[in-house]
Amino acid sequence: MSDVANGPVLAADGTPLKKRLSQALFRSKLRAFGLVIPLLLLILMAFVAPTIVFLKRGVYNDEFAKVMVNSQPLLAAWDVTSEPSDEMYAALVADLVQAREDKTIGRVATRVNRELSGTRSMFTSTARKAAKMEPPFKDALIDANKKWATTEVWEAMKIANKTWTPAYLANAVDLKYNADGSFERKSEERRIHLKLFVRTMEISVIVTLMGILLGYPVAFLMSSLQARTANLLLILVLLPFWTSLLVRTTAWIALLQGEGVMNDLFVLFGLAEDQNRFSLIYNKTGSLIAMTHILLPFMILPLYSVMKTIPPSYVRAAKSMGASNWTAFWRVYFPQTIPGIGAGGILVFILAISFYITPALVGGESGTMISNFIDFHMRSSLNWSLAAAMGAVLLVIVLFLYWLYDRIVGIDNMKLG
Amino acid sequence: MAASESDKDFVVFDRVQKSYDGEQLVVKDLNLNIGKGEFLTMLGPSGSGKTTCLMMLAGFETATHGDILLGGKPINNIPPHKRGIGMVFQNYALFPHMTVGENLSFPLEVRNMSKSVREQKVKDALDMVQMGDFAGRRPAQLSGGQQQRIALARALVFEPQLVLMDEPLGALDKQLREHMQYEIKHLHERLGVTVVYVTHDQSEALTMSDRVAVFEDGRIQQLSSPDDLYERPENAFVAQFIGENNKLFGKVEAITKGVATVKLPMGGVVKAKAVNCEHGQDTTLSIRPERVKLGASKSSNATDAKVLELIYLGDHIRCRMNVHGNEDFVVKVPNAAGHKHLTVGETTTVSWLAEDCRALDA
């Protein structure tokens, strides 16, 4: 007590004890840090940095502004409602000439085309003629292509001109970003992303629930068996882990397809007509079945590790106090397995929400998930900014659910084994 | 008369056998009657079958053969939750996700008692173990001794007629364990409930029990009161297991009027009380260290003893000697005024009465 009153506690040599302690611990802290440095660097370089760079693409795009240097300030200053000025036409022509020379016109054309389809060829063909154009450039341009007179094209260019833009994020949630800075919902037939996000969530939730339903009894069995038998079962559970994801998914194709094993069995037992077989694959059902199977071990392992630590005496105690088997399970055993359900559930859900190889192979049209779309924009349409924006939305959803989970169950309650 | 007869046989094990693997019997032919209100301890080394017996009584193990009766009715086919037996577990088994109050309320809830009745009973039970202020705590926030009391209160709160305790004090430190022994004993005396208590700690068994059943090798070796168990062991295992014991091996030469003359391999002859031995057979002699005197006395077994080791223990001095060739023969010399001072290496004389030396099975 008196030490507190007289200021900080001092070590034997008179220095403050806290300082002395941190000096004493410094070396061991340094060594501990040294041990994690290689992994830390790897994560920073190969994971954190690329993630940030790529997420930036979702809100930043200078494909247009970088090339169209003359038009850039004019477009930015343009108020959308007034007619494009002659100065803007002149700048545009100058930029088109330069872009054609630098062979960057394709990129600009693609960028504007994303805002207003059909403008790609208009840009490339006009650029070809631009070198020969003479003032007044407005008429020359309209000569080359009548559409240059419409404000639509200019609005599209204004949107494309913005380097920091919410357009991609808006697109990812089916909103349209207008040149005047307002948002509006896309027309009915163009709203595809939200539907995909909803379907992705739906599939992930169902896979998680199926995992709990199928995994819980298995984990329970394993935890109540003798060590030898339990280990054998554990190997069976882990066996799929040692098999390639692709192989497992392909195996499901063989099992579930129209002429596959499952349907043959259904026909054999008269559960389905030969002409009218179940379509179990290349649709949502296929995605659900294959994903549940592939993700099941991620549910069983945390459940098993939690259940193994629950001594049988709890259930026995409950029974000795007069609880029936069900009451003892539901009131005493089950609540203690919630950390395992939480850990397994969140693990499976997060893995499921970003699943893409399996849905791509067995999902068909109705089993496609958001990751397949991201993949499409990454590799086929090369609209990386939209891919990044959709990834960002997915990330936000996952973080939100994680926060929600923390609020409801508590992250401290999670046990991964 | 009938009532007292059934009181005497409140719990009956009738020729009970138990095997887990179909090859070995863990419990061999167990016959045991436990009276109403009795405190009976099953004492034995680990693997002796005592816990298995308790679990069969609780209903968590089924008897392979034989009947277990509770209050005159066979309970072999009654599931554990319908037996109405309270139980205290070694690790307490307090439900970690419930508060102390909810833990105690649980057996009352499953009996569909009203909330007001439940609250009153929980409060009474907590007061009984002096834990009245702890109803809102979680088990993890309690010390080992406190958890022990709550486990006790929970086993008693629904007023069972029989309470089983499976090494309930095993996890406590020595001082707390001794304190809890008295508390459990006093609770038992106050409530008049029948207690079957399992332990491997002999001092615990002697302190608390009305009767002790010593288990070894799936059988009850001896069933008697604590003082009988210590002073009148019926076989060599019990003599060795309960308290400190000096053993001498020999052959019975003659038995006259209950006194056996035993010839030892080293050539000595000892007179002993014939308890569990036959003429011409090998026997184990059992002598308690505190019944051995220094110096010769009349009409008793006296022999030379070489002092090998002296350990000062305050109230007495533990003296290890070589007696009749046994180098682990222990004599307790009380630290009384004028006691004989021994030195290591000296040879002295020790003696004991024939009735303090029991000739048991080999």
Side-chain angles (χ1 to χ4, degrees):
Chain A
M1 280 303 203
S2 62
D3 285 341
V4 177
N6 300 337
V9 186
L10 300 182
D13 62 353
T15 52
L17 194 59
K18 275 205 171 150
K19 196 175 155 197
R20 205 90 199 89
L21 181 69
S22 64
Q23 279 171 354
L25 291 178
F26 180 73
R27 282 180 69 89
S28 67
K29 276 186 186 164
L30 200 69
R31 193 168 44 204
F33 188 67
L35 288 173
V36 296
I37 272 184
L39 182 61
L40 191 68
L41 284 179
L42 180 74
I43 287 176
L44 280 176
M45 289 193 308
F47 183 73
V48 177
T51 306
I52 292 170
V53 166
F54 204 77
L55 282 177
K56 191 185 150 200
R57 272 178 180 274
V59 288
Y60 180 87
N61 191 311
D62 60 357
E63 279 171 330
F64 186 90
K66 204 168 63 185
V67 176
M68 311 292 272
V69 283
N70 295 309
S71 310
Q72 196 268 325
L74 299 171
L75 276 169
W78 182 48
D79 64 359
V80 184
T81 43
S82 62
E83 283 280 303
S85 63
D86 290 339
E87 202 187 349
M88 286 164 72
Y89 281 104
L92 178 65
V93 171
D95 284 336
L96 287 175
V97 173
Q98 189 61 42
R100 187 166 150 72
E101 244 169 61
D102 297 344
K103 299 200 165 68
T104 47
I105 186 65
R107 243 183 272 167
V108 173
T110 311
R111 176 69 191 89
V112 180
N113 193 57
R114 284 200 189 115
E115 299 306 325
L116 185 66
S117 45
T119 47
R120 192 185 154 81
S121 61
M122 181 177 144
F123 263 82
T124 47
S125 67
T126 314
R128 237 178 285 130
K129 301 168 191 162
K132 288 174 198 147
M133 283 183 186
E134 280 175 17
F137 289 114
K138 182 174 181 180
D139 300 327
L141 276 168
I142 293 170
D143 261 0
N145 194 322
K146 270 186 288 180
K147 279 195 207 153
W148 286 115
T150 60
T151 48
E152 263 187 339
V153 181
W154 288 93
E155 279 176 16
M157 280 197 288
K158 186 175 165 70
I159 296 170
N161 184 44
K162 235 176 134 108
T163 47
W164 291 95
T165 173
Y168 295 104
L169 281 173
N171 189 359
V173 292
D174 287 348
L175 290 175
K176 190 169 161 31
Y177 177 67
N178 293 324
D180 61 1
S182 65
F183 296 95
E184 62 175 310
R185 292 198 71 183
K186 284 189 187 176
S187 56
E188 188 75 48
E189 71 276 8
R190 283 170 169 268
R191 288 179 208 156
I192 45 171
H193 293 140
L194 282 185
K195 224 180 284 173
L196 260 178
F197 275 116
V198 170
R199 184 197 291 161
T200 305
M201 302 282 291
E202 182 197 330
I203 290 180
S204 305
V205 167
I206 294 175
V207 165
T208 308
L209 291 179
M210 300 253 285
I212 294 171
L213 279 179
L214 295 173
Y216 200 96
V218 176
F220 180 74
L221 182 68
M222 271 162 48
S223 69
S224 59
L225 285 174
Q226 283 183 338
R228 259 186 64 189
T229 333
N231 282 340
L232 188 73
L233 271 180
L234 194 65
I235 288 173
L236 292 180
V237 168
L238 286 173
L239 207 59
F241 265 147
W242 305 332
T243 321
S244 146
L245 177 69
L246 218 54
V247 173
R248 277 181 280 164
T249 308
T250 318
W252 277 113
I253 298 177
L255 283 172
L256 296 178
Q257 63 189 338
E259 300 294 316
V261 180
M262 291 304 289
N263 264 317
D264 284 348
L265 285 175
F266 286 142
V267 171
L268 188 70
F269 291 110
L271 293 166
E273 307 252 324
D274 202 5
Q275 279 71 39
N276 197 11
R277 290 172 173 235
F278 293 114
S279 45
L280 297 170
I281 203 163
Y282 307 126
N283 55 20
K284 203 196 271 179
T285 317
S287 275
L288 284 175
I289 293 175
M291 282 172 68
T292 303
H293 167 247
I294 287 163
L295 291 173
L296 202 53
F298 292 98
M299 181 63 81
I300 292 177
L301 292 178
L303 273 175
Y304 172 55
S305 76
V306 167
M307 287 176 177
K308 224 171 49 167
T309 62
I310 302 173
S313 60
Y314 286 127
V315 169
R316 287 184 167 185
K319 285 188 191 169
S320 79
M321 285 182 266
S324 64
N325 287 338
W326 170 251
T327 314
F329 169 77
W330 184 245
R331 292 278 315 273
V332 174
Y333 191 82
F334 181 77
Q336 296 186 64
T337 60
I338 285 177
I341 296 177
I346 206 160
L347 201 61
V348 168
F349 184 83
I350 287 178
L351 285 171
I353 210 169
S354 54
F355 235 54
Y356 100 98
I357 292 182
T358 304
L361 288 176
V362 302
E365 175 105 22
S366 64
T368 306
M369 298 179 61
I370 198 74
S371 328
N372 301 117
F373 240 66
I374 295 176
D375 171 53
F376 168 76
H377 285 304
M378 288 294 295
R379 294 192 301 151
S380 303
S381 82
L382 300 182
N383 191 353
W384 284 18
S385 286
L386 181 58
M390 292 204 296
V393 172
L394 194 61
L395 184 64
V396 168
I397 292 176
V398 170
L399 288 179
F400 170 75
L401 289 171
Y402 195 72
W403 173 83
L404 201 68
Y405 174 89
D406 187 33
R407 286 294 301 274
I408 297 170
V409 186
I411 220 71
D412 304 336
N413 272 334
M414 189 162 93
K415 255 192 208 163
L416 283 173
Chain B
M1 257 347 252
S4 74
E5 197 61 24
S6 78
D7 278 0
K8 237 173 87 189
D9 299 332
F10 183 53
V11 176
V12 177
F13 285 86
D14 183 19
R15 308 209 64 185
V16 172
Q17 294 182 312
K18 173 70 183 176
S19 173
Y20 286 106
D21 54 6
E23 287 168 17
Q24 278 183 318
L25 283 171
V26 183
V27 175
K28 301 168 184 164
D29 195 28
L30 178 79
N31 294 291
L32 177 60
N33 295 21
I34 302 168
K36 202 162 194 168
E38 191 177 6
F39 196 122
L40 182 123
T41 298
M42 295 177 172
L43 174 69
S46 56
S48 59
K50 57 190 195 305
T51 301
T52 305
C53 286
L54 196 75
M55 289 302 167
M56 285 195 286
L57 184 51
F60 300 125
E61 301 287 355
T62 49
T64 313
H65 175 266
D67 284 325
I68 301 171
L69 285 80
L70 176 63
K73 275 174 253 149
I75 53 171
N76 285 24
N77 294 319
I78 299 178
H81 67 272
K82 289 190 177 147
R83 294 191 182 189
I85 299 175
M87 190 152 181
V88 182
F89 292 83
Q90 188 171 13
N91 62 0
Y92 317 136
L94 296 176
F95 306 144
H97 58 292
M98 297 182 188
T99 63
V100 165
E102 287 164 347
N103 262 287
L104 262 69
S105 187
F106 184 82
L108 310 177
E109 273 173 56
V110 299
R111 286 177 169 73
N112 294 319
M113 291 189 186
S114 74
K115 195 163 179 237
S116 56
V117 173
R118 283 195 329 246
E119 276 169 1
Q120 188 56 44
K121 282 186 185 257
V122 168
K123 192 179 168 298
D124 290 347
L126 283 177
D127 287 342
M128 180 179 73
V129 292
Q130 293 115 47
M131 295 284 290
D133 300 332
F134 291 84
R137 301 265 193 106
R138 297 253 166 194
Q141 294 169 306
L142 304 179
S143 70
Q146 290 170 331
Q147 291 188 33
Q148 176 54 56
R149 288 177 191 191
I150 299 302
L152 206 57
R154 192 178 65 173
L156 294 168
V157 70
F158 60 99
E159 290 160 21
Q161 294 201 299
L162 175 63
V163 176
L164 312 181
M165 301 191 188
D166 183 15
E167 309 214 13
L169 306 179
L172 302 181
D173 61 59
K174 189 170 179 290
Q175 213 169 355
L176 199 54
R177 194 159 64 219
E178 283 170 6
H179 179 74
M180 286 305 295
Q181 286 172 13
Y182 293 117
E183 276 200 31
I184 292 176
K185 189 174 161 71
H186 293 153
L187 266 178
H188 166 252
E189 283 163 5
R190 216 164 75 213
L191 300 174
V193 63
T194 311
V195 177
V196 179
Y197 191 101
V198 161
T199 183
H200 62 264
D201 182 336
Q202 42 133 329
S203 75
E204 207 166 286
L206 298 183
T207 309
M208 304 169 77
S209 321
D210 295 330
R211 280 195 300 163
V212 179
V214 180
F215 276 70
E216 162 65 359
D217 194 27
R219 285 181 206 281
I220 294 180
Q221 301 291 334
Q222 188 170 346
L223 172 64
S224 47
S225 62
D227 53 333
D228 270 353
L229 213 54
Y230 185 80
E231 286 169 28
R232 287 176 281 280
E234 278 163 14
N235 59 42
F237 174 79
V238 175
Q240 189 62 26
F241 191 71
I242 308 283
E244 227 176 336
N245 183 43
N246 289 314
K247 277 189 294 189
L248 293 172
F249 300 106
K251 199 170 201 149
V252 180
E253 298 266 272
I255 300 178
T256 42
K257 290 183 187 163
V259 176
T261 308
V262 178
K263 193 165 165 37
L264 304 179
M266 298 283 282
V269 174
V270 175
K271 299 264 188 206
K273 184 174 169 145
V275 179
N276 190 2
C277 63
E278 277 172 52
H279 180 83
Q281 298 288 312
D282 285 343
T283 182
T284 306
L285 299 175
S286 157
I287 312 132
R288 297 291 183 198
E290 67 273 16
R291 297 295 171 99
V292 181
K293 278 200 192 115
L294 291 180
S297 60
K298 277 181 215 163
S299 73
S300 62
N301 301 293
T303 180
D304 284 350
K306 191 179 179 196
V307 179
L308 299 173
E309 193 180 13
L310 292 166
I311 297 168
Y312 181 77
L313 285 165
D315 60 337
H316 71 270
I317 292 134
R318 214 179 124 87
C319 180
R320 188 163 67 83
M321 298 175 148
N322 182 338
V323 174
H324 288 300
N326 178 358
E327 296 202 332
D328 288 319
F329 199 98
V330 171
V331 177
K332 285 181 181 170
V333 184
N335 193 0
H339 76 85
K340 191 175 159 112
H341 284 276
L342 297 167
T343 47
V344 172
E346 85 174 272
T347 303
T348 181
T349 311
V350 293
S351 64
W352 58 84
L353 300 175
E355 62 251 48
D356 287 337
C357 177
R358 296 170 73 80
L360 307 170
D361 57 319

